[in-house]
Amino acid sequence: RHSMLPRQMQRVGRDWIAHWNSSQVFSWNNPISNCMRWVGHYPWATFPLSVPFDFSTNWRWPLFFGPWRQCQNSNWQLDNFTQNCCFHLSNSNMKSEGGEPSTKKRRLSGQRDTSTPEAETSSSNQKEALCLSVAQNEVNCTSKRGAIQRHWEYFCQHSRTMKTSESKATNQSNRDSEAKFDFTVMSYNILSQNLLEDNSHLYKHCQQPLLIWAYRFPNILQEIKQLDADVLCLQEVQDDHYRREIKSSLESLGYHCEYKVRTGRKPDGCAICFKTSKFSLISSSPVEFFRRDIPLLDRDNVGLVLLLQPRLHCKTTAAVCIANTHLLYNPRRGDIKLTQLAMLLAEIANVACRKDGTFCPIIICGDFNSVPGSPLYSFIKEGKLNYKGLPIGKVSGQEQFPRGQRILSIPIWPQKLGISQNCVYEIKHRQKEENTGEKIKEEKLGDTEKIVVASEKLSSKLQHHFKLSSVYSHYFPETGKPEVTTCHSRSAVTVDYIFFSAANDNIAAQPDKEDSCNGGLKLLGRLALVTEQDLWTVNGLPNENNSSDHLPLLAEFRLIER
């Protein structure tokens, strides 16, 4: 196709040159010394290159370019050539669905693969470094697409005043009878790089350099800086990235970080980070959903529950329980999802329980892999679920025509899990009964009484003791269009949530009304979500400005402690 190229470069082109199009990834609009960053050597370069490579006036073409050395004695100029050139370097790790890396193709065809793991890792690092330079250069040379437009929605005049005029700090405690403490919470699935590369078919709409971690992380960190939440609940936090750069970057912003990695082969997990200027840590409780002795619980998802002490200017014993999780994705395993949720709720009940038997204010964030209105979602909000006759494929509502038609068993999880149908630890429940003066009868039961007890244990009704509301309403009232928290090549739905224990039952329905409550959380405002149509105007997710396939959720609360 490129007859003017020498034979050596034509061979190179079969593997490396995909397009000669200036709109593609590798733009040479700037001087090559500013945009080229080659590490080590590439398969088509027989000599090592340093970082950065210095194209000085005394530089000469290496021997492998062959006939191109004649150009040194002509009027040909490198800068003139590069103005119209564009190379697109492919990445075998990010093939579209159905594609296979060249190493795998060689193994399948019976050819011997002489490359070592170290060499493959080195090559991958080289490509990533090159793609990062390409992506940064492209952003500098071309205008960005429009950013997603999101705005704050306020639910009371006081919150709006605080946002517009921070000088009025005395509004923090405008009543002598109660201590008020305002804070913001973010929930954000930042998209693990390993999961991105394992599911590259979901990101066919994205330009490849925008998907490398070295480009994505600065964008994610910038979002966190701009939104400036007091508490961060992050999902899909990759372990090596967390240890190498995420934790230190967040600590430099004033956060203390708690992290729980998944128990399986996928090296990512959940993190809760809070500003030490706003909170102090009382306790941190990781939750592992994998149980070796229970076949149902063979998945590696995790959760994390923190108990935080607000740093108030007045004497108070207030505490806030913050939970974060990422439930199983599989739409056909609603039985596992419900069991994981019950395990998380049991740990929250254990951590948030006060001495008088009540619960401190609770906030639950995460990617629940369930849509609004689904049985799992309704269970969280309503506190009860009768799952008798419910197919496991309909629990999360992810599929309109679910393939999992098996009915949920009664009970869903075995008794040896140690969690009751009320989503509390059974041992703690028994101790609570003993502390309240209730005696456990040890009398011999007749056959009829045994049947009654057995039927109670086999109840198909799940319950929990928290009165939870959702920060978001999930639909735009003006148009009825659904809000979207995640968007990729195959779907755009809501699966991310921030649930909280409201100060009273009417606070979510009437957010503008000041209420006399016995303490709790009041929703002051939230960062508005967008529609699927809005996201595709910026080429979906991820894009140049938003480097995850999820949007960050952000809400402002007021802790009212009488």
Side-chain angles (χ1 to χ4, degrees), residues 277-534:
S277 60
K278 299 280 285 189
F279 296 95
S280 59
L281 179 64
I282 299 176
S283 66
S284 176
S285 304
V287 184
E288 295 182 357
F289 299 143
F290 175 81
R291 296 294 175 88
R292 191 178 304 276
D293 59 335
I294 300 178
L296 175 67
L297 297 174
D298 60 349
R299 306 307 167 95
D300 52 18
N301 305 83
V302 296
L304 187 60
V305 182
L306 266 57
L307 191 63
L308 301 180
Q309 176 76 48
R311 296 185 184 274
L312 294 171
H313 297 290
C314 57
K315 295 181 180 180
T316 179
T317 58
V320 181
C321 180
I322 308 288
N324 183 24
T325 191
H326 189 180
L327 299 184
L328 176 70
Y329 167 76
N330 192 336
R332 297 179 295 279
R333 294 308 303 268
D335 51 346
I336 299 179
K337 293 174 186 277
L338 282 174
T339 307
Q340 291 180 346
L341 178 60
M343 296 172 69
L344 180 70
L345 293 174
E347 185 61 32
I348 294 173
N350 184 45
V351 171
C353 187
R354 294 167 169 163
K355 293 182 179 180
D356 60 357
T358 61
F359 297 104
C360 70
I362 296 168
I363 297 175
I364 307 177
C365 301
D367 181 345
F368 291 82
N369 277 313
S370 302
V371 301
S374 65
L376 188 144
Y377 172 88
S378 299
F379 172 55
I380 296 175
K381 284 198 64 178
E382 298 173 8
K384 58 184 179 180
L385 173 67
N386 188 345
Y387 60 87
K388 183 178 181 180
L390 179 63
I392 61 174
K394 292 186 177 181
V395 170
S396 63
Q398 293 166 279
E399 295 180 339
Q400 186 175 2
F401 303 102
R403 287 171 284 177
Q405 296 299 327
R406 182 166 60 86
I407 303 300
L408 287 169
S409 61
I410 302 175
I412 300 175
W413 55 83
Q415 186 177 2
K416 65 179 178 180
L417 180 60
I419 295 177
S420 71
Q421 297 292 292
N422 292 329
C423 298
V424 295
Y425 293 126
E426 289 186 333
I427 297 177
K428 293 289 184 181
H429 183 64
R430 291 171 186 168
Q431 291 177 350
K432 183 178 179 180
E433 288 179 344
E434 292 174 357
N435 293 336
T436 55
E438 296 182 11
K439 297 182 180 180
I440 301 176
K441 296 182 180 180
E442 298 181 355
E443 300 176 356
K444 293 183 179 180
L445 301 177
D447 293 338
T448 305
E449 290 173 316
K450 287 182 180 179
I451 294 174
V452 173
V453 173
S455 64
E456 290 177 354
K457 290 185 178 180
L458 295 178
S459 173
S460 61
K461 297 180 181 179
L462 293 180
Q463 293 181 339
H464 68 74
H465 300 292
F466 314 124
K467 295 181 179 180
L468 299 175
S469 300
S470 174
V471 165
Y472 291 90
S473 56
H474 314 308
Y475 294 92
F476 290 94
E478 302 85 1
T479 62
K481 293 183 178 180
E483 298 173 338
V484 170
T485 66
T486 180
C487 178
H488 50 66
S489 295
R490 288 193 171 181
S491 67
V493 293
T494 286
V495 294
D496 307 278
Y497 303 93
I498 300 178
F499 298 104
F500 68 102
S501 55
N504 62 29
D505 295 336
N506 297 324
I507 191 169
Q510 299 176 346
D512 292 320
K513 183 179 179 180
E514 289 290 341
D515 57 279
S516 57
C517 58
N518 294 324
L521 292 172
K522 183 177 181 65
L523 180 62
L524 300 181
R526 66 191 178 196
L527 184 62
L529 288 170
V530 296
T531 65
E532 179 181 2
Q533 182 180 1
D534 295 331

